[in-house]
Amino acid sequence: MPDVDLATLFERPPATEADLAGARARFLHRAARSRPRRDRNLLKALLAALATTLVAVTAAVALRPLPATQPPPKPPEPSEARQALLTAADAAAAQTSAFEPGKPGEYLWVVWFHQGWDPRKGEVTTFLVENWSPSDGKGPWLRSTGRHETLFARLCPSQDPSAWSPDLRAEITAGDVPGRFGQIAAMLEWTRFHPERAAALLRLAAELPGLTVTRGQTDAKGRPAFTVGLALDGLRDELVFDEPGNTPLGRRTVVTRDTPQGEGRIPAGTVIGHTVDLYGVEPKLPRKPAKSASLDGEPPLRADQVKRVEREARCD
Amino acid sequence: MRDATATARDNDLVRLSLTDPECFAALFDRHAPHLHAYVARRLGPDVADDVVSDTFLDAFRRRHVYDPAHTDARPWLYGIASNLVGKHRRRESARYRAYARTGPDETLAALVEEGVTTLAVNRPLLRALAALKPGDRDVLLLVAWAQFTYEEVAVALSIPVGTVRSRLNRARTKVKTALEAADA
């Protein structure tokens, strides 16, 4: 139902008087400065009319009764996010010697504990995702959710250590801050065995403006954690770090206001994302099927029920 | 004057504003709330503030060339806004990609396609929107988000109705193809 999905995409109510106060103010300011002198008398009347409305709007906003609940806590300073990311980068860099990235022909195995939104059930569902990627970047890689297995023909360049550029900045192609943050977060997921790259990515993330830290969190597995994230239009994309170890655990998205989804809504407060559970080096790809188990309350499938498909990777 | 402007048609307001600029304020009050929401869906609320104020400033400056045959000023205003949105083309595509981004992360991408995760039902749609030609996207979103008729889109974008139909058909086909590919 593409028309339904499109009609509700980013759906939002008409702007309120308070929402428009900023646009009005800019309009007034720029209109007053942009007109030739001969027209300014005409404009004065318009600006006076709009200013009157603006004052009324401002007064209405100011006079609205405050909610009885406590005011929201003051957001932390962005510099805290920068410091947290630099600390995490140092922690990652210090781990370099502790990792063995595997020999050519071996596979890097990472298990993610994933929380996703199931639109059919209208609830968060939890399951494991296992990735087997070639340590030298050569050949296919496998992903399993316990019910579906996909054998990809190749890694995308940002996942392939042999294709990584010495100039990390050149790999960040997104233009704006949300795009760069999202790209860094995605690339970070493929650095479990490459902490030096994780450190470099975290240092790049530390340069982004507008990031904030949320302390006292837990990751999807309930481990103590903090997050560094960026709010955008009812969603907050976050990197999740071990507390107090500062190592990257995963990423998640917090829904900060009810979000239309098809014909339903994802309620504010919903958290989706994934956190690393296990990892290691495997000598070869598993035989069909992989041994992952579903965590969504349904029993694991028999071997002959797991479907393995092959397809090309799609690299954006 | 305010009582009279509240019920006046848009073309009358524009005409009256030539000698009485105060009347233009009624157009802002009437159309800015929905225009802001439309632009915010395309570019985000922060940029929407600027685009809305620029739209009305531009409209105010050009009110003397407004076609009085059009009683509804929405196509005119949304046309100006569409041009301004076009100046933020990279931002708009980046916004869709930011939401759609599974980046190079095939794990999430494939989970999305399996329909088991996230905000993700819309991610293929977002990718498709980001990939549309700007002119096709303007037509598609004026119809889907502003509920414009083909004729209103034609006025807004200063293109023939036939071009509206062909652009809309092309955009819908591309979106449908992208969604079907994600479902396959």
Side-chain angles (χ1 to χ4, degrees), chain A residues 2 5-15 19-20 23-24 26-27 30-31 34-35 42-43 46 49-50 53 114 116-117 119-120 125 127 129 131 141 143 145 148 152 158-159 174 176 178-179 182-183 186 189-190 232-233 235 251 253 261 266 272 274 311 313-314 316, chain B residues 2 18-19 21-22 24-25 28-29 32-34 36-37 40-41 44-45 49-50 52-54 56-57 60-61 63 91 94-96 98-99 101-111 113-122 125-127 129 140-141 144-145 172 175 179:
Chain A
D5 284 344
L6 180 60
T8 58
L9 184 66
F10 297 141
E11 192 176 27
R12 58 192 301 129
D19 295 332
L20 291 169
R24 282 175 184 272
R26 283 190 194 89
F27 178 35
R30 297 173 68 187
S34 65
R35 295 296 296 171
L42 285 177
L43 260 178
L46 168 67
L50 287 172
T53 311
H114 188 92
W117 178 259
R120 294 162 297 193
T125 185
F127 51 95
V129 179
N131 285 352
W141 71 278
R143 189 208 60 244
T145 64
H148 303 274
F152 295 93
S158 62
Q159 302 162 345
D176 61 355
Q183 195 171 1
E189 293 177 344
W190 290 81
L232 180 71
D233 249 10
L235 302 174
R251 63 190 287 202
T253 298
Q261 174 81 342
I266 303 178
I272 56 176
H274 48 269
R311 68 178 178 87
R314 191 171 59 205
D316 291 339
Chain B
R2 286 197 176 281
L18 292 172
T19 52
E22 181 182 346
F24 211 83
F28 188 102
D29 294 336
H34 285 90
H36 188 282
R41 290 176 82 172
D49 282 357
D50 286 339
V52 168
S53 61
D54 287 353
F56 280 91
L57 185 62
F60 181 76
R61 287 171 174 165
R63 67 195 190 283
R91 179 188 176 95
R95 170 176 158 81
Y96 298 142
Y99 274 99
R101 188 169 293 286
T102 53
D105 176 8
E106 275 288 358
T107 298
L108 273 179
L111 293 173
E113 289 158 12
E114 288 167 12
V116 291
T117 192
T118 160
L119 311 165
V121 164
N122 285 329
L125 175 59
L126 287 165
R127 271 202 290 265
L129 271 184
L140 180 67
L141 296 184
W145 290 355
R172 281 178 165 159
V175 169
L179 294 180

Side-chain angles (χ1 to χ4, degrees), chain A residues 235-248:
Chain A
L235 302 174
R236 180 178 160 80
D237 287 330
E238 297 180 328
L239 296 173
V240 184
F241 297 90
D242 167 42
E243 179 98 84
N246 295 304
T247 54

